[in-house]
Amino acid sequence: MALELDLHGFTIPQALYEIQRTIIANPKCNCIEIIHGYNQGNKIKHFLRDKNNIHNRRVIRTIPVPLNDGRTFIFLKT
């Protein structure tokens, strides 16, 4: 199961909170597509591209969505 999470306009702490909340609330989810934008969302984008910043054991890796610099995939253990 995959989810989409729009974090436009969020600060990094707000974005991290929403990501953690989404991971906990969806134990069967194996991928979250984060929409952060590529102009104002650069801080979140750079933060998410290092999976260790998320601090959750379920996170396997984070990668940019191909051909869309305003989105990032977070892959999770199920």
Side-chain angles (χ1 to χ4, degrees):
M1 174 170 119
L3 297 173
E4 190 175 87
L5 186 59
D6 189 344
L7 300 177
H8 276 103
F10 283 53
T11 64
I12 289 176
Q14 291 169 330
L16 185 58
Y17 174 80
E18 287 301 316
I19 291 167
Q20 293 289 3
R21 191 176 68 78
T22 301
I23 291 171
I24 291 167
N26 298 281
K28 293 185 180 182
C29 178
N30 61 2
C31 179
I32 302 172
E33 185 173 349
I34 304 295
I35 305 166
H36 45 68
Y38 60 91
N39 287 326
Q40 300 300 321
N42 273 334
K43 290 180 184 178
I44 294 174
K45 174 179 75 172
H46 294 297
F47 181 80
L48 292 179
R49 300 287 165 92
D50 181 357
K51 75 175 184 85
N52 295 320
N53 286 333
I54 300 173
H55 304 292
N56 190 297
R57 291 185 214 192
R58 289 191 55 212
V59 175
I60 299 170
R61 65 183 169 168
T62 62
I63 62 168
V65 172
L67 305 175
N68 191 337
D69 203 35
R71 295 176 177 236
T72 300
F73 284 129
I74 298 175
F75 291 98
L76 306 167
K77 298 175 192 172
T78 51

